[in-house]
Amino acid sequence: MLTSDVKTLRVVVLISGSGSNLQALIDGVASGELPIEITAVISNRPGVLGLSRAEEAGIPTLVLDHKGFASRADFDRELMRTIDAYNPGLIVLAGFMRILTPEFTRHYQGRMLNIHPSLLPKFQGLHTHQRAIDAGEITHGVTVHFVTAELDGGPAIVQAVVPVLAGDDAGLLAKRVQRQEHIIYPLAVKWFAQGKLRMLDGRAELNGELLPACGYQIEANQP
Ligand code: NHR
Ligand code: GAR
């Protein structure tokens, strides 16, 4: 069979910023590790580095600036229309910074992933690294989860744990966490592409087994 006949998962990636997680996915495709095709990268912010990364990789890019819309609902409807034109099997939020309406999350239920920089259910929302330091946590980390209407509340798929070290500030801790992000996000996307991962009754299931509430926890590697 020709490689062009092999069915690869069509993925649309949503970004708002630097796109280092997008880059990890692009690199995974280039190395042959990830059986997906990134069919489009969409940013709600113009001029961000993630758009240049996509262009460099020959991936079509689009900017849909939320500031041009009267309401969240209007923005989300246009975003849905734009995404669906690419007929994706998976939507990946990679540093996407707009809260999505229940209408949007329902439409992509079970086929939309997010990476959140904390050990969910701890520290939902923003400024997670500073909040982990302020709370005196000795460990911190990152979670990939299915996106539901509940902000950062969908079922967890995989988590990586890192230590909080003496002398850490939010920037140092974020860097340590991000090295793990670039490992676990391609891993979760690969599982989904291989058909090993699905959302069932509000839970994440891997290889036919329901995952615990924190997802599949892996030790940080290549720190
Ligand atoms: N939408 C839903 N419905 N559910 C989730 O789980 C979502 C989501 C949208 C984004 C990513 C999330 C994160 O990983 C995400 C998960 C943005 C905010 C936020 O407060 C919060 C969480 C996340 C992303 N955004 C502000 C807003 O008013 C804008 C902040 C800004 O532009 O800098 O949308 O942390
Ligand atoms: C990542 O650390 C991601 O976990 C976080 O933003 C960064 C995006 O980096 N996501 C959120 O905070 C979502 N609210 P990237 O653009 O370089 O992938």
Side-chain angles (χ1 to χ4, degrees), residues 7-60:
K7 248 195 160 182
T8 56
L9 179 72
R10 295 170 62 82
V11 177
V12 168
V13 181
L14 306 187
I15 61 167
S16 300
S18 80
S20 68
N21 280 289
L22 166 66
Q23 188 68 57
L25 297 174
I26 290 171
D27 294 348
V29 174
S31 72
E33 184 63 23
L34 266 183
I36 66 168
E37 182 190 352
I38 304 174
T39 51
V41 169
I42 305 174
S43 174
N44 68 309
R45 293 205 186 119
V48 295
L49 177 59
L51 289 167
S52 318
R53 294 183 195 265
E55 279 158 20
E56 183 75 20
I59 300 165

Side-chain angles (χ1 to χ4, degrees), residues 123-145:
F123 308 116
Q124 297 172 336
L126 304 178
H127 314 297
T128 56
H129 308 300
Q130 190 60 53
R131 287 162 60 205
I133 291 171
D134 293 346
E137 298 287 334
I138 58 170
T139 59
H140 182 47
V142 56
T143 307
V144 176
H145 64 93

Side-chain angles (χ1 to χ4, degrees), residues 45 72 97-100 105 114 116 126 148-149 151-152:
R45 293 205 186 119
R72 265 183 209 274
M97 297 307 291
R98 296 299 296 174
I99 295 171
L100 298 162
T105 56
N114 179 45
H116 179 77
L126 304 178
T148 64
L151 189 65
D152 298 327

